[in-house]
Amino acid sequence: VAELLLKTEDNRQLFDAVRHLLPQQQALIWQVFYEEKSLAAIARESGVTEGAVRHRLSKIYKRLQSFLK
Protein backbone atom coordinates (compact mmCIF):
# COMPACT_ATOMS: atom_id res chain seq x y z
CA VAL A 1 0.00 0.00 0.00
CA ALA A 2 2.83 2.43 0.87
CA GLU A 3 4.46 1.74 -2.51
CA LEU A 4 1.22 2.53 -4.30
CA LEU A 5 0.85 5.77 -2.36
CA LEU A 6 4.39 6.82 -3.26
CA LYS A 7 3.78 6.04 -6.92
CA THR A 8 0.50 8.00 -6.83
CA GLU A 9 2.32 10.98 -5.29
CA ASP A 10 5.05 10.78 -7.95
CA ASN A 11 2.40 10.71 -10.69
CA ARG A 12 0.64 13.72 -9.18
CA GLN A 13 3.87 15.70 -9.05
CA LEU A 14 4.67 14.81 -12.65
CA PHE A 15 1.15 15.75 -13.78
CA ASP A 16 1.44 19.08 -11.96
CA ALA A 17 4.80 19.75 -13.61
CA VAL A 18 3.41 18.97 -17.08
CA ARG A 19 0.60 21.47 -16.46
CA HIS A 20 3.26 24.20 -16.16
CA LEU A 21 4.49 23.52 -19.70
CA LEU A 22 3.37 25.54 -22.70
CA PRO A 23 0.40 24.02 -24.58
CA GLN A 24 2.64 22.98 -27.49
CA GLN A 25 5.00 21.27 -25.06
CA GLN A 26 2.12 19.48 -23.36
CA ALA A 27 0.91 18.30 -26.77
CA LEU A 28 4.34 16.90 -27.62
CA ILE A 29 4.51 15.03 -24.32
CA TRP A 30 1.03 13.64 -25.02
CA GLN A 31 2.06 12.43 -28.48
CA VAL A 32 5.24 10.75 -27.24
CA PHE A 33 4.03 9.12 -24.03
CA TYR A 34 0.29 8.62 -24.40
CA GLU A 35 -0.19 8.20 -28.14
CA GLU A 36 3.22 6.44 -28.34
CA LYS A 37 4.04 8.12 -31.64
CA SER A 38 7.54 7.84 -33.00
CA LEU A 39 9.67 10.94 -33.23
CA ALA A 40 9.74 10.49 -37.01
CA ALA A 41 5.93 10.49 -37.17
CA ILE A 42 5.68 13.57 -34.98
CA ALA A 43 8.28 15.33 -37.14
CA ARG A 44 6.38 14.51 -40.33
CA GLU A 45 3.08 15.70 -38.89
CA SER A 46 4.68 18.89 -37.55
CA GLY A 47 6.65 19.67 -40.68
CA VAL A 48 9.97 19.72 -38.86
CA THR A 49 12.99 17.46 -38.68
CA GLU A 50 13.31 14.62 -36.22
CA GLY A 51 16.27 16.49 -34.73
CA ALA A 52 14.00 19.47 -34.03
CA VAL A 53 11.57 17.19 -32.19
CA ARG A 54 14.45 15.73 -30.15
CA HIS A 55 15.64 19.25 -29.31
CA ARG A 56 12.15 20.28 -28.19
CA LEU A 57 11.88 17.19 -26.00
CA SER A 58 15.28 17.91 -24.47
CA LYS A 59 14.12 21.40 -23.50
CA ILE A 60 10.88 19.97 -22.09
CA TYR A 61 12.73 17.37 -20.01
CA LYS A 62 15.00 20.06 -18.54
CA ARG A 63 12.00 22.21 -17.67
CA LEU A 64 10.23 19.26 -16.04
CA GLN A 65 13.34 18.46 -14.01
CA SER A 66 13.38 22.01 -12.67
CA PHE A 67 9.76 21.67 -11.53
CA LEU A 68 10.37 18.30 -9.90
CA LYS A 69 13.38 19.33 -7.78
Side-chain angles (χ1 to χ4, degrees), residues 23-51:
Q24 309 93 306
Q25 293 172 321
Q26 291 178 15
L28 183 54
I29 290 293
W30 183 266
Q31 289 175 312
V32 171
F33 292 101
Y34 295 98
E35 294 179 4
E36 298 181 349
K37 288 186 179 179
S38 69
L39 298 185
I42 294 168
R44 270 192 314 276
E45 292 172 8
S46 303
V48 298
T49 65
E50 195 172 329

Side-chain angles (χ1 to χ4, degrees), residues 56-68:
R56 290 174 186 173
L57 283 172
S58 175
K59 288 173 67 173
I60 290 169
Y61 295 152
K62 287 177 185 173
R63 189 149 187 228
L64 287 173
Q65 284 177 334
S66 73
F67 287 125
L68 295 172

